[in-house]
Amino acid sequence: MDKKLRRRLYLVIIAVVIAMIIILPREDRVLRAVGINFGNPQVKLGLDLLGGTSLTYEAQLKDTPAGDRTKAMEGVINVITKRVNPAGTSEVVVQQSGENRVVVQLPGVTDAKAAADQIGRTATLSFYKVNPDSEVPTPTELSGKDLESATAQIDPQTGQPIISFRMQGGEATDKFAKLTREINETEGARLAIVLDNEVLFNGGVSTPILDGQGQMTGFESVQTAQQTAVLLNAGALPVPVELVSQRTIGATLGTESISRSIIAGAIGILAVVIFMVMSYRWAGVLASLALILYVIFNVALFKISSITPWPIVLTLAGIAGFVLSVGMAVDANILIFERMKEELRSGKSVKASLDTGFARAWSSIRDSNTSTLITCFILYSFGATIIKGFAITLAVGVVISMLTAISVSRTLLGLFVRTKFGQNPQRYSGVKLPLPQQKSAEISK
């Protein structure tokens, strides 16, 4: 076995072992046993499969001119969307209802009060200078609009949750530098940063902050810091909103419907396996094994995404995208095997046919998957929420299928063709080899 094939084999084995551990029902116990603790990853289900919470807010538009109300409602929807779905990968529904109401549907959320408190906050960020004489906070020109980004982190020195923030460049950074310089030069003066009525920071400034970057401290937990960072990044609501109703809703699809969907997916995979084995024999068997690993990799990625800021939430449309990607996952193998059959018919050895098949099929695989990814991008950019879920699962499946075809399938076939059993062309597709030519063949009595 050459070094390249051996290296690919080791990488495949490591990837399979990690994925197998992750998809275990209680993978957290296994990972903790080896010293890894990153929460409890799980496949997140959408509102139609799991149920959740529905909140209805009413925007207070009485002080907003009639001509600006449409823009104000668009701003409310935009800010709420950023708060509940900052990464854009969750199946959260935020839509306008009537002239001044916004309906928010949160899959899997059971604590409606906590969700309502997080969504409905005005989130007005203010910066104050506190003079030592009067202890009266003096408003400054800075506000949340001057903030560019905020990130929740753990302070490596204290181990406490903090928020690192960056002011927007230019005028905002200059104003922040001027404010911190004044506080630094005034003995006993303090800087106070207030979100709505909650003080995020109230302390002195040891050195003027000239680059617009700083930290807020004093958060009770990492979750509180993360929620505050989301509010800061989403910005303030353009108008106040009032919660007018909240209700817990059940899954719109029953258990029987979900079971039928799973059975349909299993039948589809089985049909693909039968077709591959009948058409390409042992190459089809290895491709089917790679297809099973492809499914395992997908499920592992879905679970891992749940502990990241970009969770992938499965709805029925998402499951459809995943099942479709399973069928498309064998496209690459079919292209490779057909190329491989052509090379075998031309008289090349099995190993040479395999190498040539992969090399010549790659451009077709790349182009077809790229076009699918472009379609997914368009669906995600302009589609409704449920369409975005379909686009994400399909795009993830396409990327993993490409990696599976050019790594797992090729490695398995590379190992197989090096065996004596695998060197027979008949093992792959019943290819009829050309008869050997004889230069001086003749028939005589």
Side-chain angles (χ1 to χ4, degrees):
M1 188 188 306
D2 57 61
K3 291 183 179 179
K4 194 173 182 181
L5 179 60
R6 186 184 295 114
R7 187 166 58 248
R8 283 207 306 265
L9 177 61
Y10 291 156
L11 291 175
V12 170
I13 292 175
I14 293 173
V16 170
V17 171
I18 293 175
M20 291 291 288
I21 292 175
I22 292 174
I23 67 171
L24 291 174
R26 290 308 308 267
E27 75 295 325
D28 54 327
R29 294 181 179 178
V30 179
L31 294 173
R32 286 196 192 101
V34 295
I36 301 175
N37 183 12
F38 53 29
N40 183 22
Q42 55 185 336
V43 177
K44 285 196 170 185
L45 301 179
L47 198 68
D48 55 348
L49 301 178
L50 187 63
T53 297
S54 178
L55 306 171
T56 302
Y57 290 90
E58 186 173 279
Q60 306 301 307
L61 300 173
K62 59 182 180 181
D63 296 329
T64 305
D68 296 335
R69 291 183 177 181
T70 301
K71 187 175 181 180
M73 288 302 298
E74 291 176 355
V76 169
I77 293 175
N78 185 40
V79 171
I80 291 179
T81 301
K82 288 181 179 177
R83 289 183 181 181
V84 298
N85 190 16
T89 56
S90 298
E91 296 281 346
V92 175
V93 175
V94 182
Q95 59 186 9
Q96 185 170 347
S97 175
E99 295 182 355
N100 61 344
R101 291 195 172 187
V102 177
V103 176
V104 183
Q105 295 182 341
L106 305 168
V109 174
T110 55
D111 191 347
K113 184 179 183 306
D117 292 343
Q118 176 75 0
I119 295 171
R121 293 186 63 173
T122 305
T124 300
L125 186 69
S126 305
F127 293 79
Y128 294 92
K129 177 183 178 183
V130 183
N131 294 309
D133 308 342
S134 60
E135 289 291 328
V136 177
T138 303
T140 67
E141 298 178 349
L142 290 166
S143 68
K145 294 181 180 179
D146 297 309
L147 193 70
E148 179 177 321
S149 65
T151 306
Q153 297 175 330
I154 297 293
D155 190 330
Q157 296 181 347
T158 64
Q160 298 299 314
I162 61 173
I163 289 181
S164 298
F165 66 91
R166 178 193 295 272
M167 307 299 291
Q168 293 188 9
E171 186 179 358
T173 298
D174 294 339
K175 288 191 294 186
F176 191 63
K178 180 183 177 182
L179 173 63
T180 55
R181 187 183 295 110
E182 290 177 356
I183 295 175
N184 175 257
E185 294 173 351
T186 305
E187 185 176 355
R190 302 194 308 275
L191 170 66
I193 304 176
V194 180
L195 182 66
D196 293 338
N197 295 319
E198 180 185 355
V199 178
L200 299 180
F201 178 81
N202 183 13
V205 178
S206 57
T207 57
I209 302 175
L210 305 179
D211 59 359
Q213 301 183 46
Q215 294 180 343
M216 304 177 195
T217 59
F219 298 98
E220 296 178 354
S221 63
V222 175
Q223 185 179 12
T224 304
Q226 290 174 336
Q227 292 174 346
T228 304
V230 169
L231 288 173
L232 295 176
N233 286 322
L237 288 170
V239 294
V241 295
E242 180 183 354
L243 181 66
V244 293
S245 74
Q246 66 179 49
R247 61 190 176 93
T248 302
I249 55 180
T252 55
L253 295 175
T255 305
E256 184 179 352
S257 299
I258 299 173
S259 300
R260 288 183 176 179
S261 301
I262 295 175
I263 292 173
I267 292 175
I269 294 175
L270 181 61
V272 170
V273 170
I274 293 174
F275 170 78
M276 293 299 291
V277 173
M278 291 183 65
S279 300
Y280 302 104
R281 301 190 180 183
W282 280 97
V285 172
L286 297 175
S288 300
L289 178 58
L291 182 64
I292 294 173
L293 295 179
Y294 160 80
V295 175
I296 292 174
F297 291 150
N298 263 278
V299 175
L301 184 63
F302 291 160
K303 295 186 72 172
I304 286 293
S305 72
S306 68
I307 59 172
T308 70
W310 308 277
I312 299 173
V313 181
L314 279 183
T315 62
L316 192 61
I319 293 177
F322 172 64
V323 174
L324 177 59
S325 71
V326 170
M328 297 178 65
V330 296
D331 283 357
N333 289 309
I334 291 175
L335 288 171
I336 294 167
F337 297 158
E338 288 298 325
R339 287 286 188 181
M340 187 175 169
K341 286 168 66 175
E342 293 176 1
E343 301 302 324
L344 287 173
R345 290 193 184 99
S346 68
K348 289 186 178 179
S349 68
V350 174
K351 183 178 181 304
S353 300
L354 175 64
D355 294 337
T356 307
F358 271 95
R360 293 188 174 179
W362 166 241
S363 59
S364 301
I365 296 171
R366 180 197 58 203
D367 294 346
S368 63
N369 285 291
T370 300
S371 62
T372 304
L373 289 175
I374 292 174
T375 304
C376 291
F377 175 76
I378 295 172
L379 290 175
Y380 179 81
S381 300
F382 302 102
T385 303
I386 193 170
I387 300 299
K388 291 182 178 180
F390 173 83
I392 289 174
T393 53
L394 180 58
V396 168
V398 167
V399 172
I400 294 181
S401 70
M402 267 200 300
L403 296 176
T404 305
I406 62 177
S407 58
V408 178
S409 297
R410 187 168 189 173
T411 302
L412 295 178
L413 280 169
L415 292 172
F416 187 70
V417 300
R418 282 165 172 77
T419 64
K420 186 176 180 181
F421 184 79
Q423 292 177 1
N424 185 349
Q426 299 291 333
R427 310 292 186 200
Y428 299 91
S429 57
V431 176
K432 295 181 180 179
L433 298 178
L435 293 173
Q437 297 180 357
Q438 297 182 20
K439 295 180 180 179
S440 58
E442 60 179 12
I443 299 175
S444 60
K445 292 182 180 180

